[in-house]
Amino acid sequence: MMAREKMQILVCGGTTCSDGQGEAVFENLNLEIEANALENDVHVVHSGCFGLCSMGPVVKIVPGNTIYTKVSPDDAREIVSEHILKGRKVERLLWKDPSGNTLVKEDEFAGQKKQLRIVLRNCGIIDPENIEDAIAHDAYAALSKVLAGMKPTDVIQVIKDSGLRGRGGGGFSTGLKWEIAYKNKADQKYVVCNADEGDPGAFMDRSVLEGDPHSVLEAMAICGYSIEAGKGLIYIRAEYPLAVARLRTAIAQAKEYGLLGKNIMGSGFDFDIEIRYGAGAFVCGEETALIHSMEGLRGEPTVKPPYPAESGFLGKPTNVNNVETLACISPIILKGASWFAGIGTERSKGTKVFALAGKINNVGLIEVPMGTTLREVIYEIGGGIRKGKKFKAAQTGGPSGGCLTEKHLDIPIDFDNLTAVGSMMGSGGLIVMDEDDCMVQVAKFFLEFTVEESCGKCAPCRIGNKRLHELLEHITKGKGTLADLDRLKNMCLVIKDTSLCGLGQSSPNPVLSTLENFRDEYEAHVSLKKCPAGQCKDLMEYFIIEENCVGCTACARVCPVGAITGERKEPHHINPDICIKCGACMEKCKFDAIIIQ
Amino acid sequence: MNAVKSPEELKSIKAGILKRMNEKETVRVKVHMGTSGLASGAREIYDFFRLELEKRNIQASVTSTGDMGYSFAEPTLEVKRPGEDPVVFGNVDKLRADEIIEKYIKNGELVDGVLPANYRTINQ
């Protein structure tokens, strides 16, 4: 028996990469361990995804961190007899990369992993309430490098060369933004961190502020030095109490350490940061509205120009950057512009954090280099669609964006490619929809959000979106006509062209994009009065298949309105005139006799 | 704490912190307590570790951090045994927390729910 110390075998429980083979591998390994009476020396455990899904199922053996790839249930015997008992590697299960190198240990696989963490580098790693932990992980090292020997113009050049573009939505060059603010001379300038994260489903900014607040504070100070601003303001939603608390602690600690405040690290540079609270209005994520809100005015956008870089907070030059953008700054300063510019696509550099939500297995935050495809994001990193259903669409850019469909699965995701297919990057919310989602309802959901959030200043947005919503409501109730689809489109275009700010200009996007990609679904609603996904209540009819019904009466007993009749042990019937389509009968039926038509 | 007076001083402070961290290396437990962690009960798990490690006489530091983005497996936490690579566990309820203490922290024996690092870091 070779197993001198306790060994552990980790089996990835990936559901998609391996068609569920992982579980069979796990069971067979356990059987082999038992057959060799090794239960006390070797343990087999389930693990999460290694991020090596194209090589799955993956098995890792500790100690040694050996990774076996594409393991089939039949390989269990050889792994136990060779590796565990004789200490010999099973050569044929080791991974060979395209250039012919054999990868053995887990660290050697780093290059094969789809995710790269720049923005999230310290999230979950450092204690956000302990500045020493942050300093140990290189917090303020970039600021000290800047203060020790870089001129403001040097820093701006580095950021420009890195190709960093704003992560909050538009994708404007960050370096250029800083340069404009630098060139506008004034006695006081401001650096504003936009932490008014409003897209439904997006929460990367919250996670960064909660997990690594110093990275944002440091970047704001670097920006302040570069554009010659002495004051920083963080505009954050009051709905993020934990992020606010951790920011406050971080600011206090940074001041105590002299990393914010007067004469930072003896350089003569003064920079102070304060927090301003937003009430969570979506439009306040737009920079002019955000600035007005901070000034104590109504959070309404104004026409640009003048840009905030010319006349922003209190009429002074102001640079507004989003949290995720700021979180990229320190690594760029420390590792250089060319390092950052080497990641991503030609015109979109670096990584992007996406918040995966909806019908996807691994809900949460991921960070991938720009140019990763939607297929990789959904099927590899995201673990695929829940319950093995079929992918239908993914909404990016929140209520201002559009949906990507099956035909977009292999497009490299970056700013320009998303715009080209009628969606947008936005802040990185990615809501995944499966075959059971009705796209008219999806469009209606996002429009509901905009109608609620419209500030009411201009008529196209205030009235137009409301009318759009009514039309969609009409369609989902089965009262729409084919002509309504054209009206829908026309109205969208008018709202887009005539609204005052980005909120109104982008609000029809979900409608336009679903209309474009799923016209057949809209048509089914208006001409056939059917909802293909079975989501529009008014268009559905619950129906009992006589052959499957055994007459158990369970459905009749659970029906709250008494719409189901039938004798015991005889097929039952649903009276559509009484049925309120609550679905209770379908849930109760054990014989799959009730269907939606 | 006196204010850091120069970039060099920041470097020496960092070196000092790292030295201190490495000197008194004990078992380190980091409970991921961002909003999504807390919403799934991370606070309870944090309290459990604080209380139980002391009760069971195990020298360890328990701290809280932000989320790693593994919303699908919250609460999550990281355990680092002296001289070993850290291991992240997901879906930690009290039962699994107990298992982590008894099996992994005490004997280095892994338990179900390991979340391998499925990403590269900036230093790789």
Side-chain angles (χ1 to χ4, degrees), chain B residues 77-96:
Chain B
L77 54 86
E78 181 191 286
V79 181
K80 190 183 179 310
R81 285 161 49 90
E84 293 181 17
D85 290 336
V87 176
V88 176
F89 295 94
N91 294 313
V92 182
D93 52 12
K94 281 190 182 165
L95 214 67
R96 185 164 284 175

Side-chain angles (χ1 to χ4, degrees), chain A residues 6 8 10 26 43-51 62 65 106-107 110-111 113-118 120-121 123-128 132-133 135-141 144 147-148 203 206-207 210-211 242 246 256-259 264-266 331 335 339 361-365 369 381, chain B residues 1-11 13-18 20-21 28 30-38 43 62-73 78 84-88 96 103-104 107-124:
Chain A
K6 282 201 174 164
Q8 335 240 10
L10 288 90
F26 179 84
H43 291 95
V44 190
V45 295
H46 285 110
S47 91
C49 179
F50 285 86
V62 198
N65 292 344
E106 196 181 8
D107 333 349
K113 295 187 176 173
K114 302 273 188 225
Q115 290 201 66
L116 168 62
R117 294 196 165 196
I118 297 176
L120 301 175
R121 61 192 179 278
C123 288
I125 310 285
I126 64 164
D127 179 352
E132 293 209 339
D133 208 0
I135 291 174
H137 287 83
D138 275 341
Y140 300 99
S144 91
L147 295 179
F203 57 97
R206 189 188 72 201
S207 276
E210 286 175 0
L242 186 64
R246 290 194 173 156
E256 191 193 323
Y257 274 69
L259 298 166
I264 297 172
M265 289 188 252
K335 297 178 80 77
W339 164 75
N361 280 316
N362 299 346
V363 171
L365 294 181
I381 303 167
Chain B
M1 176 70 205
N2 288 324
V4 180
K5 283 178 204 65
S6 67
E8 291 74 40
E9 201 184 323
L10 183 71
K11 269 187 202 150
I13 289 175
K14 180 186 165 186
I17 296 168
L18 286 175
R20 268 211 313 282
M21 280 179 166
R28 273 186 222 148
K30 295 176 182 175
V31 184
H32 301 144
M33 287 163 76
T35 296
S36 42
L38 289 170
R43 168 80 58 196
V62 183
T63 54
S64 72
T65 70
D67 288 326
M68 294 194 89
Y70 300 139
S71 307
F72 61 93
E78 181 191 286
E84 293 181 17
D85 290 336
V87 176
V88 176
R96 185 164 284 175
K103 291 190 172 167
Y104 186 62
N107 300 322
E109 196 178 298
L110 289 171
V111 301
D112 274 0
V114 174
L115 296 173
N118 58 357
Y119 55 86
R120 277 174 284 152
T121 63
I122 47 178
N123 296 318
Q124 272 172 330

Side-chain angles (χ1 to χ4, degrees), chain A residues 165-487:
Chain A
R165 294 168 69 174
R167 302 303 196 226
F172 190 76
S173 157
T174 305
L176 215 55
K177 210 171 183 178
W178 288 18
E179 190 173 57
I180 299 167
Y182 169 75
K183 284 184 177 157
N184 286 310
K185 298 293 167 199
D187 55 340
Q188 176 65 287
K189 295 185 199 176
Y190 294 94
V191 175
V192 173
C193 167
N194 182 351
D196 188 66
E197 190 171 43
D199 275 11
F203 57 97
M204 59 284 291
D205 293 352
R206 189 188 72 201
S207 276
V208 171
L209 294 171
E210 286 175 0
D212 190 13
H214 289 286
S215 71
V216 174
L217 302 183
E218 180 185 8
M220 287 177 75
I222 292 171
C223 176
Y225 176 78
S226 312
I227 69 166
E228 297 179 339
K231 193 143 190 161
L233 298 161
I234 301 174
Y235 184 81
I236 184 167
R237 307 159 68 86
E239 289 105 319
Y240 282 181
L242 186 64
V244 169
R246 290 194 173 156
L247 269 175
R248 285 177 161 278
T249 309
I251 293 172
Q253 289 181 350
K255 282 185 182 168
E256 191 193 323
Y257 274 69
L259 298 166
L260 283 178
K262 293 241 176 289
N263 193 16
I264 297 172
M265 289 188 252
S267 65
F269 169 61
D270 304 336
F271 193 76
D272 209 355
I273 297 178
E274 282 176 23
I275 301 179
R276 292 282 187 278
Y277 304 102
F282 183 59
V283 74
C284 287
E286 196 277 343
E287 52 185 12
T288 60
L290 181 152
I291 288 168
H292 295 315
S293 169
M294 287 200 307
E295 290 168 335
L297 304 171
R298 285 183 69 158
E300 288 176 338
T302 43
V303 180
K304 293 189 275 192
Y307 287 92
E310 299 149 21
S311 171
F313 186 62
L314 304 176
K316 304 291 185 190
T318 302
N319 180 71
V320 185
N321 283 135
N322 146 281
V323 172
E324 193 186 332
T325 316
L326 290 169
C328 294
I329 299 292
S330 304
I332 293 175
I333 299 288
L334 288 176
K335 297 178 80 77
S338 54
W339 164 75
F340 194 79
I343 303 163
T345 61
E346 199 188 334
R347 299 195 53 228
S348 302
K349 300 301 186 188
T351 55
K352 181 76 192 79
V353 183
F354 287 100
L356 303 186
K359 307 278 182 63
I360 190 157
N361 280 316
N362 299 346
V363 171
L365 294 181
I366 62 153
E367 184 171 355
V368 288
M370 293 275 189
T372 305
T373 65
L374 192 60
R375 189 185 298 280
E376 291 169 314
V377 168
I378 292 177
Y379 287 98
E380 299 195 10
I381 303 167
I385 309 295
R386 268 193 211 168
K387 295 181 188 154
K389 297 257 182 179
K390 203 168 163 289
F391 167 78
K392 189 176 204 173
Q395 177 84 9
T396 61
S400 312
C403 60
L404 303 171
T405 66
E406 220 176 335
K407 64 175 187 269
H408 303 124
L409 276 174
D410 293 308
I411 293 175
I413 306 173
D414 69 4
F415 287 107
D416 309 298
N417 283 343
L418 286 187
T419 313
V421 298
S423 183
M424 64 185 269
M425 183 72 86
S427 55
L430 209 136
I431 301 171
V432 178
M433 284 154 288
D434 69 4
E435 53 192 312
D436 292 342
D437 287 305
C438 164
M439 296 316 284
V440 185
Q441 293 280 3
V442 166
K444 204 176 93 184
F445 166 80
F446 284 112
L447 209 63
E448 243 157 52
F449 182 85
T450 349
V451 168
E452 186 109 314
E453 292 290 345
S454 172
C455 75
K457 189 171 177 176
C458 68
C461 177
R462 182 184 70 240
I463 305 169
N465 280 322
K466 186 88 185 142
R467 293 289 93 82
L468 263 188
H469 186 258
E470 281 170 6
L471 259 181
L472 288 174
E473 181 85 23
H474 231 62
I475 294 171
T476 57
K477 286 205 149 66
K479 295 175 190 158
T481 61
L482 263 179
D484 281 341
L485 298 190
D486 295 327
R487 270 211 285 163

